[in-house]
Amino acid sequence: MCGIVGIVGPKRVNQFLYEALTNLQHRGQDAAGIMTADKSHLYLHKSNGLVRDVFDDSDMSRLKGDMGIGHVRYPTAGSASQTESQPFYVNSPYGIGLAHNGNLVNALELKKLVTEKERRHLNTTSDTEILLNIFAHELSKSSKKQLTPEAILKAIKKVHKRCSGGYAVVALIVGHGIVAFRDPNGIRPLVLGKRLTKNGLERMVASESVALDALGFEVERDIKPGEALFIDSDSQVYSQLLDHNESYSPCIFEYVYFARPDSIMDRLSVYKSRLRMGEKLAEKILRERPNHDIDVVIPIPDTSRTAAVQVAHVLGVKYREGFIKNRYIGRTFIMPGQAERKASVKRKLNAIELEFNKKNVLLVDDSIVRGTTSQQIVSMARDAGAANVYFASAAPPVRHPNVYGIDMPAVKELIASNKSTDEVQDFIGADWLIYQDLEDLIEAVLHKSSNIKTFDTSCFSGSYVTEDVTQHYLESLELVRSDSAKVMRDAKILLEENEDKDKDGLAKIIGEL
C-alpha cells in the first residue's frame, strides 16, 4: 500500500507536497519522494525513510516549480531498496514522472511487451516503472504533432485497456500539467480537490481526503473508476471515462485498516464505517455469547479504537484504554519483515496493569492477519493480570492473498488460511475468539449515499474482481512476496550496494537466510 499526491498551482508547491505526504504517512513508511517541475526543468528527491527524514531544508529548497507529485511507499513484490522508491522518471516524450499506488496483475506480461516489443529499458523490478513506460509509449503515439489534453486522455485510455489490477496513478508531464487516473474497478482510492487563494486556483489529487483537508483544499469528488484526468498548468481539469467501466469495487480493507478514520473515500466515511463495524461485531457477540462475562472492552491501538467504542456501548460494558502506544514506532502491519514486526510489538505497546488485573477482558482489533501480533498482545494482557482474555476481530478471517497492492499475499503467512476459528483461538492464546461476518462488514461500510454496488473483498472471500487471477499467478506471487523472499532479495541488493564495505559479512548473512 502506498500514498500518492499531485498538486498544480500558481506558486511553488514543494511545501504543500511535503505536508500532504506527512498526512499520508500511514500508507507507507519505507520510502518517500517528491518530484516538481516548472516550465522546462524537473526536480526530484527521494530516498528510504519517513517523510521527515527524507527531506531536509536543502532538499526542499531544490524542489522548485508550481506543479509536482509525491509518494510514500511500502514494498510488496518489489524490494525495499532505494532504487525502488518513487516517483520514477523517463525523459521521452516530454519528460514524465509517475507515482503509483496498487499492483498490476499482468505485470510480467506487460514487462515482456515493454522490453521486447516496444524496446523500452526497465531498471527496477517495480510494476510502477512498467506502468510509466506504457504511459510514455502510448503518449508518444497519441501526441505525434502536438501535446493536447485530448492526446493525453487518449493515451491514458490505452493504458487502462492494457493494464489489469488495482491502481491509482499521478503523473507529471514537464511544462504541461498533472495526470491522474484510477483502475476501471476503482479498487485503489483517489480524490480530487481545489483551493482558491489570492494567487489563483490550485488543484490537488491524493489517495485520501485527509491530505486535502489538512491543506485547506475543498474535496470536489472522487476520481471515478476508469477515469482519465488531466490538470493543466492553469488548474483547468479535463477528464474522460472509459467507454465501459467494470464494477465499482473499492477495496474494503481500506475501511478496515489502511485509511485514516477522518478520511472520506468514495463518499463513504471511514469513521462511520468503523463505528458500524463495532455495532455489528457486538451484535454477533450477543447472539453467540448472550451470557458473556466481559468486564471491560480494550482496543488494540490505533485502528480498532473506533469499533471498540461501539462494541462496548452495545454490550453495555466499560470501555478502557489498556494499552499505551509509543507513537514513534510505525505501523507493524506494514513493516518489511516478520522479525521486525514481531520485535516492534513490545516496543510499540505497553499494558496498564490496573485495567487488566483480575478482569475478564475483551480485546478488539481491526483484523487478524498473520496472528503473531495478536498472540503477543494476548500474552501481554495475561502478564498484566487478566483473568480471561477474549478477542474480537472487526474483520472476517483473512484467508486469501491480496493481489491489488496490500502486503498479505503469501498464503502460508495468513493464520486463518488453513486454520479454523478454534485453531486460531488456540494459536493466539485467547479464551475465546470471534470474527466479524463478511456480510456484516459489507453492510457496515456500504451507505446509500455512495454509488458502490460491491467491494473488493478478495482477502476474505477469495473472489477477485479483475477475474484474471489464476492459481498459477497466486503461486508465483508466493515465491516473490513471502517475508523470506523479501529478506533474501533485500540482502542481495544490500550486498550489491555496499561494494566497498564488509562484503564477506553480508554474504554470510545471505547464506544463513
Side-chain angles (χ1 to χ4, degrees):
M1 188 63 63
C2 302
I4 58 175
V5 60
I7 301 177
V8 176
K11 62 178 183 178
R12 198 162 175 166
V13 298
N14 58 343
Q15 189 61 42
F16 301 140
L17 289 165
Y18 178 94
E19 292 174 16
L21 291 182
T22 301
N23 281 281
L24 295 173
Q25 187 75 85
H26 59 285
R27 298 185 68 86
Q29 300 167 4
D30 177 68
I34 291 176
M35 177 182 288
T36 60
D38 53 26
K39 291 183 179 180
S40 58
H41 290 83
L42 180 142
Y43 311 90
L44 171 66
H45 182 74
K46 59 180 181 176
S47 185
N48 282 5
L50 302 176
V51 175
R52 68 182 183 220
D53 299 323
V54 169
F55 303 96
D56 60 24
D57 290 342
S58 62
D59 300 323
M60 294 298 292
S61 67
R62 288 190 290 269
L63 293 169
K64 303 173 185 178
D66 55 6
M67 64 179 71
I69 59 176
H71 186 268
V72 287
R73 176 182 187 262
Y74 93 103
T76 50
S79 76
S81 167
Q82 184 172 323
T83 59
E84 302 270 331
S85 58
Q86 299 182 37
F88 286 110
Y89 170 74
V90 290
N91 65 358
S92 177
Y94 308 106
I96 305 171
L98 185 143
H100 158 234
N101 170 34
N103 181 61
L104 300 181
V105 173
N106 61 338
L108 290 179
E109 174 190 338
L110 292 172
K111 180 179 180 180
K112 187 173 182 180
L113 287 171
V114 165
T115 56
E116 296 181 7
K117 185 177 179 181
E118 296 169 4
R119 304 299 183 187
R120 303 188 72 91
H121 175 72
L122 299 177
N123 200 44
T124 71
T125 61
S126 174
D127 58 349
T128 306
E129 191 182 17
I130 297 172
L131 211 161
L132 168 60
N133 277 274
I134 290 172
F135 176 53
H137 176 76
E138 296 298 341
L139 190 61
S140 66
K141 290 197 316 183
S142 65
S143 60
K144 291 181 179 180
K145 293 183 179 180
Q146 185 180 3
L147 184 61
T148 63
E150 291 73 24
I152 294 169
L153 298 178
K154 180 180 177 182
I156 300 171
K157 192 172 182 179
K158 293 288 184 64
V159 173
H160 277 313
K161 291 182 177 179
R162 292 181 62 178
C163 297
S164 175
Y167 52 88
V169 177
V170 289
L172 183 157
I173 305 175
V174 178
H176 291 87
I178 297 292
V179 167
F181 56 96
R182 192 178 179 193
D183 67 82
N185 292 287
I187 299 172
R188 301 268 70 89
L190 198 57
V191 184
L192 171 68
K194 65 181 179 180
R195 179 173 67 176
L196 186 61
T197 71
K198 62 181 181 180
N199 297 304
L201 180 64
E202 299 170 318
R203 275 208 157 86
M204 177 178 176
V205 292
S207 293
E208 295 184 33
S209 64
V210 66
L212 283 73
D213 296 339
L215 293 175
F217 279 76
E218 172 192 347
V219 175
E220 292 184 82
R221 61 180 178 86
D222 297 282
I223 292 177
K224 298 173 184 177
E227 183 176 12
L229 196 97
F230 172 62
I231 308 172
D232 69 16
S233 56
D234 295 321
S235 294
Q236 179 69 38
V237 175
Y238 303 84
S239 67
Q240 183 180 24
L241 280 171
L242 281 174
D243 293 335
H244 97 274
N245 290 353
E246 306 298 332
S247 63
Y248 198 165
S249 306
C251 174
I252 204 165
F253 207 72
E254 289 274 1
Y255 300 88
V256 171
Y257 174 79
F258 271 105
R260 264 180 46 167
D262 45 344
S263 284
I264 295 176
M265 301 184 305
D266 295 302
R267 301 179 68 184
L268 297 172
S269 165
V270 177
Y271 176 75
K272 288 186 177 179
S273 296
R274 290 177 184 169
L275 283 177
R276 292 191 289 265
M277 288 178 208
E279 292 172 2
K280 296 290 185 182
L281 188 58
E283 289 168 1
K284 183 175 181 180
I285 292 172
L286 289 173
R287 288 196 306 271
E288 297 194 357
R289 297 185 177 273
N291 299 316
H292 70 80
D293 57 355
I294 301 168
D295 296 316
V296 61
V297 173
I298 293 177
I300 298 171
D302 282 321
T303 321
S304 65
R305 191 173 274 127
T306 308
V309 168
Q310 284 301 95
V311 170
H313 176 72
V314 175
L315 293 181
V317 301
K318 294 178 182 178
Y319 169 89
R320 290 290 185 269
E321 294 284 343
F323 293 106
I324 299 301
K325 179 183 176 182
N326 181 346
R327 298 188 181 279
Y328 301 97
I329 301 294
R331 301 179 87 175
T332 53
F333 179 89
I334 61 176
M335 286 184 172
Q338 178 61 16
E340 187 168 353
R341 283 190 294 268
K342 192 172 182 180
S344 293
V345 176
K346 288 284 187 181
R347 299 196 303 264
K348 178 181 177 180
L349 297 177
N350 189 47
I352 302 174
E353 291 190 11
L354 178 67
E355 298 297 350
F356 290 91
N357 192 34
K358 298 180 181 179
K359 295 178 182 178
N360 297 323
V361 178
L362 173 63
L363 301 180
V364 177
D365 207 352
D366 53 80
S367 59
I368 303 172
V369 180
R370 296 167 178 89
T372 49
T373 297
S374 304
Q375 185 183 57
Q376 287 183 279
I377 290 172
V378 169
S379 178
M380 289 172 65
R382 293 199 187 280
D383 291 343
N388 288 289
V389 181
Y390 312 129
F391 204 102
S393 168
V398 179
R399 293 196 170 103
H400 306 276
N402 183 291
V403 302
Y404 302 126
I406 295 179
D407 191 23
M408 54 169 76
V411 174
K412 64 183 179 182
E413 295 171 6
L414 306 177
I415 188 65
S417 64
N418 60 358
K419 287 182 171 60
S420 65
T421 299
D422 287 344
E423 289 172 328
V424 175
Q425 172 186 306
D426 292 341
F427 177 85
I428 67 174
D431 291 291
W432 53 257
L433 165 67
I434 196 162
Y435 281 105
Q436 184 90 266
D437 291 331
L438 181 56
E439 295 79 8
D440 285 343
L441 175 62
I442 293 171
E443 190 174 334
V445 179
L446 197 59
H447 191 269
K448 61 184 179 181
S449 66
S450 174
N451 294 322
I452 297 167
K453 297 292 189 292
T454 184
F455 292 94
D456 169 55
T457 62
S458 54
C459 59
F460 306 122
S461 64
S463 177
Y464 297 94
V465 297
T466 57
E467 298 182 350
D468 58 352
V469 178
T470 64
Q471 186 58 38
H472 175 72
Y473 175 76
L474 295 176
E475 290 170 357
S476 66
L477 275 187
E478 182 103 6
L479 298 175
V480 297
R481 288 197 174 185
S482 66
D483 282 336
S484 58
K486 287 179 187 176
V487 171
M488 176 68 79
R489 182 169 56 246
D490 290 342
K492 288 181 178 179
I493 290 172
L494 186 64
L495 183 60
E496 294 170 357
E497 293 179 348
N498 289 270
E499 294 181 357
D500 299 326
K501 297 183 180 180
D502 183 13
K503 295 191 72 171
D504 291 338
L506 289 170
K508 183 179 179 182
I509 293 172
I510 294 173
E512 292 173 352
L513 293 173

